[in-house]
Amino acid sequence: MTGFTGFAYLIASICFILALRGLSHPETAQKGVNFAIGGMILAIVTTLMMDSVSSYFIIFCGIAGGGAIGAIIAKKIEMTSLPELMAAFHSLVGLAAVFVASAAFINPDAYGIGVNGILSAGSLLEMALGATIGAVTFTGSIIAWGKLQGTISGKPVSFTNQHKINAGLGLAMFILIILFCLTQSAFFFWAIVAIALLLGVLLIIPIGGADMPVIVSMLNSYSGWAAAGIGFTLQNNLLIVTGALVGASGAILSYIMCKGMNRSFLNVILGGFGGEASSADAQDLGDRNAKIGSAEDAAFIMKSASKVIIVPGYGMAVAQAQHVLRELGDLLKKEGVDVKYAIHPVAGRMPGHMNVLLAEANVPYDEVFEQEDINRDFSQADVAYVIGANDITNPSAKNDPTSPIYGMPVLDVENAKTVLFVKRSLGSGYAGIDNPLFYEDNTLMLLGDAKKMTENILKALE
């Protein structure tokens, strides 16, 4: 049976690797999801067939309960709420790691790793690290969920000696882990868990809204390493491999996100920026001389265009305007207009957010381009239609050394002949930074709900 289990776990691991490979591109994403489902089914069935499983009732109750909750959430969740959902799910993985590590410490004999008071240093270290990573992931993901959901302010929350306190807690936890491995004391174990839970809050609360895509990716990586920690505790090779895959891929994605913002990972953690603009800031911006247009103005400009580049942002997601946006693109194509979609790597609230929404609206994959592939085309475009985006089009990133986003690669929408900017107001974006593009001569602001404005443009074109 051991040989069969190892072989089945190997096949499941290969399925998970193929799943990650498939999810790297929209055209193969569905195939990737199917590989992931197949691998997970194989892993679950194989685990249930193991000799160490003595009772199926509780297991099936857990599968039925969790499956029912997951199915209900999947049916009801809006595409715009996926970032919050991911953060919530990451928190559950972290909590599971804490529970498994705690159970293994309380009753190690059940896991076949020894008896109370006589555990190897390796097992103790696995428990401590699993509990630490899991606890940080749990509370950190809860804070990220709150910021994305809006129940916690998106602004960075800082306090006196913040970094010194975090460093002190990190050092204290390091010392406690050593003491725990030497003494096997329950006090040290629970102290490690408590400090890790606190650190999860203190590490994420200072992160501003503009850094949320990186944080979601980072927490994804943490949840993977937490799962790998569970695998070591349970002596389950599949969990170790799967957790390592998720942890490594999340770390790589975090690096890509940081590169897309021209920031180091350490800079994100230690100096997060961004948040909701205050009403005062919005009023100051509103006093400037921006050209305000209507749906009819936009329709006239688009009808005369030969090339249009559409730039979706989180405002499009909130308004759920992806379907009407695709209708607008289809109508323009019927009129002989060349239509493309430009995606910035940190558009939205999580990596790939805009790609998912456009795919949901059946926008052809060959019309969707990443920043590095589309930026040079803006200078030949008659119209750049920016719908609900802000920070990712801010030219301050290129020409204002004092701007917090200076050096961040942005979409060169200002190079188009005309920029049609759909936004609810002239207020700052999620990073809380002024966008001078609103006041350029070739920019026409279309103030209002993204979906309603696009619908009105579509009607005017028809």
Side-chain angles (χ1 to χ4, degrees), residues 77-159:
I77 195 71
E78 297 287 348
M79 296 296 286
T80 52
S81 299
L82 283 180
E84 296 96 298
L85 181 65
M86 284 186 63
F89 282 171
H90 293 159
S91 73
L92 296 179
V93 177
L95 187 60
V98 175
F99 283 164
V100 170
S102 302
F105 175 66
I106 293 170
N107 189 11
D109 184 54
Y111 294 87
I113 57 177
V115 295
N116 278 322
I118 312 176
L119 295 173
S120 68
S123 295
L124 292 169
L125 182 61
E126 289 167 9
M127 293 177 197
L129 292 179
T132 299
I133 298 172
V136 170
T137 303
F138 173 62
T139 51
S141 296
I142 293 295
I143 297 300
W145 172 85
K147 283 178 173 282
L148 292 166
Q149 187 73 14
T151 54
I152 300 176
S153 173
K155 295 180 180 180
V157 178
S158 57
F159 48 88

Side-chain angles (χ1 to χ4, degrees), residues 173-227:
M173 190 159 57
F174 177 75
I175 294 172
L176 285 171
I177 290 175
I178 295 175
L179 292 174
F180 172 67
C181 292
L182 293 174
T183 65
Q184 303 186 31
S185 167
F187 171 80
F188 290 136
F189 178 80
W190 296 117
I192 290 168
V193 172
I195 292 177
L197 289 171
L198 179 60
L199 261 180
V201 175
L202 296 180
L203 285 174
I204 305 302
I205 202 73
I207 309 299
D211 287 324
M212 273 301 114
V214 179
I215 296 307
V216 170
S217 178
M218 179 196 75
L219 290 170
N220 178 55
S221 178
Y222 285 3
S223 69
W225 299 124

